[in-house]
Amino acid sequence: MLVHHVVFLALVAGTTLLFASLAALNVRYAERTVRERSAWLATHIGVDDPGELLAYHRLGTAVSQLRSVVLAGAVLGVLYTGAFGAAVAFVYDTVGSDVLAGVALLVGATVAMQVARVPFDAVETFGVESAFGFNEQSPALFARDALLSAGLAGVFVAVLGGAVLVAVAALPEWWFVAATGIVGVFLLATQVLVPRVVMPLFYDFDPVDEGGLRDAIEDVFDRAGFACEQVYVMNASSRSGHSNAFFTGFGATKRVVLFDTLIDQMGKTELQAVLAHELAHWKNGHIWQTIGAATLQAGVVLFVASRLLDAGWLYGMFGVPEQPAAGLLLAGVWLQPLSRLTAPLQNRLWLANEREADAFAVDVMGDGEPLADALGALTSQNLGNPFPHPYYEAFHYQHPPVPERIRYLTAADSGAAAERSACRERNR
């Protein structure tokens, strides 16, 4: 049992400290590189005073890492004080059905984690984001969103967790296979439900009707060989000054969403380039690839979890009753650090897809400059750090760093040209 505790603490505490160290390394690297390349920042990003960018990056990183360390400590405290074991016993003694008790336990743990994050989210929103002019939320709206988010998380976990627990009860030896299928169906459903049911609870979505913006969008659609009637503007400015765009769905359910902040901050050509990039994720089947990869990853995790659920030591470590829902939560605490450590492998698909999407945008626009200008504007407006440390980048970045993307889009050197050509061939 001692070996299990040593390995467990090494995983949970060790990875938390490792990523905190990587974040600190990333801050120091950014501060040095941003100052060294201030001329490049001014020319390509439009940042004349890097001090604000660095301060925003520094404070945001500090809050994020404090949250990670405190929450990891809280999880360890709940386990090692016996509070989790007592909670499991109480829930199963109180609720008559084992499946319903398991759902209640999963929902309770999820909501508890959501609530524990609220103080840090408040500091980030009303401290960091407000200090740099991004926050548009009132305390009342923040509280409303926090309550709604916790409720929605509870509903999703109840549905997904309940289905998995039924599979565990019905197929004791092969439940992970059924659970993997359940996760795959759930991921497909979220592509439709999240933008149509969940996000409208937080934001307004107005269809883009006739006019200059619609004409510009239709022009990109025609060039990309894309047809979609569902194009919306989301009032992201009701909560934040950050800007973005996204594509979601498949078949008749596909939808293009532009943040109103993006429309306000960019010219027509740059906006078209961003849209062309997003359309590439449909054109090249990236959405299906992402769902497939996520389902495969879930299958691997669930298979390992199925082995752990049968291990008596998993429950004995913390005096927890041997119930499937408790085992799933304990297995999740064991496996989450491993998932973080394997992130560089997971990110390879994302990085390849983003490079293909950039190449597609170049083809659609006939030039890489519009998307390069758009990336510069997004980085400048969002105060993004364009120079991540390579180690930090490997674990956290699902897009290539902005300088690499701009070089790829605009450089005439043979390496960048050859890479663009290879991506274009894959697009065809």
Side-chain angles (χ1 to χ4, degrees):
M1 191 69 72
L2 177 61
V3 173
H4 293 136
H5 284 290
V6 171
V7 174
F8 177 74
L9 289 172
L11 276 175
V12 177
T15 54
T16 300
L17 294 176
L18 169 65
F19 283 101
S21 299
L22 281 178
L25 179 66
N26 189 51
V27 168
R28 291 195 298 271
Y29 181 83
E31 300 217 352
R32 182 176 70 252
T33 310
V34 162
R35 299 192 187 283
E36 289 174 352
R37 302 190 61 182
S38 57
W40 186 92
L41 278 173
T43 301
H44 293 86
I45 306 297
V47 175
D48 295 318
D49 179 14
E52 185 181 26
L53 184 155
L54 290 173
Y56 179 69
H57 181 229
R58 190 185 311 118
L59 288 174
T61 300
V63 173
S64 175
Q65 293 309 307
L66 178 63
R67 174 170 53 212
S68 295
V69 171
V70 171
L71 291 182
V75 169
L76 292 176
V78 167
L79 291 174
Y80 278 99
T81 60
F84 179 65
V88 173
F90 172 79
V91 170
Y92 277 88
D93 288 342
T94 304
V95 181
S97 165
D98 282 353
V99 171
L100 291 179
V103 170
L105 183 64
L106 294 175
V107 171
T110 300
V111 172
M113 287 300 292
Q114 291 281 111
V115 172
R117 292 174 60 92
V118 169
F120 302 98
D121 292 342
V123 170
E124 186 174 46
T125 300
F126 298 107
V128 180
E129 296 292 298
S130 291
F132 291 89
F134 289 121
N135 178 49
E136 300 294 341
Q137 292 190 79
S138 65
L141 183 58
F142 174 86
R144 180 257 188 197
D145 283 357
L147 288 172
L148 186 55
S149 295
L152 287 170
V155 170
F156 279 124
V157 168
V159 172
L160 184 60
V164 170
L165 289 174
V166 169
V168 172
L171 302 167
E173 295 297 324
W174 296 96
W175 66 264
F176 66 90
V177 176
T180 301
I182 291 168
V183 170
V185 172
F186 180 80
L187 292 174
L188 284 171
T190 58
Q191 285 289 312
V192 177
L193 294 177
V194 169
R196 287 166 176 75
V197 178
V198 176
M199 294 186 71
L201 297 174
F202 298 89
Y203 298 99
D204 294 330
F205 290 80
D206 296 319
V208 178
D209 296 319
E210 300 299 322
L213 178 59
R214 182 72 193 201
D215 291 342
I217 291 171
E218 292 290 352
D219 179 44
V220 175
F221 284 0
D222 290 341
R223 291 192 234 170
F226 180 83
C228 180
E229 292 299 321
Q230 299 188 54
V231 184
Y232 294 87
V233 175
M234 187 181 89
N235 67 329
S237 59
S238 64
R239 286 164 174 77
S240 173
H242 290 296
S243 53
N244 210 336
F246 64 88
F247 172 86
T248 186
F250 43 85
T253 68
K254 58 182 180 288
R255 170 179 289 199
V256 175
V257 177
L258 305 173
F259 287 22
D260 58 351
T261 47
L262 185 77
I263 295 171
D264 292 339
Q265 294 168 3
M266 289 192 179
K268 184 185 80 170
T269 306
E270 289 76 21
L271 188 64
Q272 287 179 312
V274 172
L275 183 56
H277 173 95
E278 294 302 324
L279 294 184
H281 295 310
W282 161 80
K283 184 75 173 181
N284 295 335
H286 294 164
I287 292 175
W288 294 108
Q289 292 175 27
T290 301
I291 292 174
T295 304
L296 177 62
Q297 180 186 9
V300 173
V301 169
L302 289 167
F303 170 74
V304 177
S306 71
R307 305 280 79 84
L308 290 175
L309 257 62
D310 294 332
W313 58 262
L314 180 71
Y315 309 89
M317 284 179 66
F318 307 109
V320 176
E322 294 191 20
Q323 296 291 346
L328 287 172
L329 289 171
L330 291 172
V333 178
W334 271 87
L335 294 174
Q336 193 264 349
L338 295 176
S339 178
R340 296 184 72 185
L341 292 172
T342 58
L345 296 176
Q346 302 168 29
N347 291 342
R348 288 175 66 88
L349 175 63
W350 287 90
L351 292 168
N353 287 347
E354 292 301 327
R355 292 186 178 101
E356 284 191 4
D358 283 351
F360 182 83
V362 173
D363 278 348
V364 169
M365 300 301 297
D367 185 5
E369 290 288 349
L371 184 56
D373 291 342
L375 290 172
L378 282 170
T379 304
S380 176
Q381 294 289 340
N382 294 327
L383 292 180
N385 169 32
F387 304 115
H389 190 281
Y391 293 161
Y392 186 89
E393 174 195 338
F395 284 97
H396 294 87
Y397 274 54
Q398 295 177 335
H399 291 69
V402 168
E404 178 186 327
R405 295 178 72 183
I406 290 178
R407 182 195 69 83
Y408 167 84
L409 290 164
T410 63
D413 65 85
S414 58
E419 191 175 355
R420 281 199 300 268
S421 177
C423 283
R424 285 171 179 166
E425 286 302 317
R426 288 195 292 271
N427 289 337
R428 294 191 182 98

